[in-house]
């Protein structure tokens, strides 16, 4: 998952469900272990964000500037997609679970005193 975000599909969750089905169809490890590996994929993607930020800022003196901020954007998109697929792996009600959680976070964060 290393392409840029591009246009958001009309129904984001339909695309997430299609990606989940595609992964499930060719999953080398199933069951609980497969579930845990799917969750660990998120850590891998977050690490790629860190690598891109380090590369975009030239923080590794041995390597210099190796990435662009466009690379960072793409890696962040991968994190979001991977998290959504992981949530879909946990529950077929991912759309509803995410929607409820987003409303709670927005409600407590955006309320005016």
């Amino acid at each position: 998952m290393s392409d840029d975000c591009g246009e958001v599909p009309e129904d984001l969750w339909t695309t997430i469900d299609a990606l989940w089905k595609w992964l499930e169809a060719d999953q080398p490890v199933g069951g609980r272990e497969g579930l845990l590996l799917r969750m660990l994929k998120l850590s891998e993607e977050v690490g790629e964000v860190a690598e891109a930020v380090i590369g975009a800022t030239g923080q590794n003196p041995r390597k210099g500037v190796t990435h662009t901020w466009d690379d960072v954007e793409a890696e962040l998109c991968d994190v979001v997609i991977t998290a959504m697929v992981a949530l879909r792996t946990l529950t077929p009600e991912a759309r509803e679970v995410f929607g409820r959680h987003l409303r709670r976070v927005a409600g407590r964060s955006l309320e005016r005193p």
Side-chain angles (χ1 to χ4, degrees), residues 1 3-24 38 77-78 80-89 92 94-95:
M1 292 183 177
D3 293 337
D4 61 49
C5 294
E7 289 294 317
V8 175
E10 277 187 44
D11 188 347
L12 179 66
W13 285 103
T14 299
T15 303
I16 294 300
D17 195 54
L19 288 168
W20 172 78
K21 287 177 184 173
W22 171 72
L23 288 169
E24 289 292 304
R38 183 79 45 89
C77 289
D78 287 350
V80 172
I81 293 165
T82 302
M84 294 176 88
V85 171
L87 181 60
R88 174 58 185 89
T89 301
R95 177 192 308 240

Side-chain angles (χ1 to χ4, degrees), residues 15-88:
T15 303
I16 294 300
D17 195 54
L19 288 168
W20 172 78
K21 287 177 184 173
W22 171 72
L23 288 169
E24 289 292 304
D26 194 26
Q27 181 173 283
V29 178
R32 185 178 178 102
E33 187 177 352
L35 173 68
L36 296 174
L37 290 169
R38 183 79 45 89
M39 301 304 130
L40 286 176
K41 178 69 174 160
L42 189 53
S43 292
E44 177 191 3
E45 295 297 342
V46 170
E48 291 176 10
V49 171
E51 179 182 15
V53 169
I54 289 167
T57 58
Q59 289 302 301
N60 184 335
R62 186 173 49 82
K63 293 182 180 179
V65 175
T66 58
H67 291 74
T68 67
W69 288 104
D70 287 343
D71 295 327
V72 176
E73 290 174 2
E75 295 300 345
L76 285 168
C77 289
D78 287 350
V79 169
V80 172
I81 293 165
T82 302
M84 294 176 88
V85 171
L87 181 60
R88 174 58 185 89

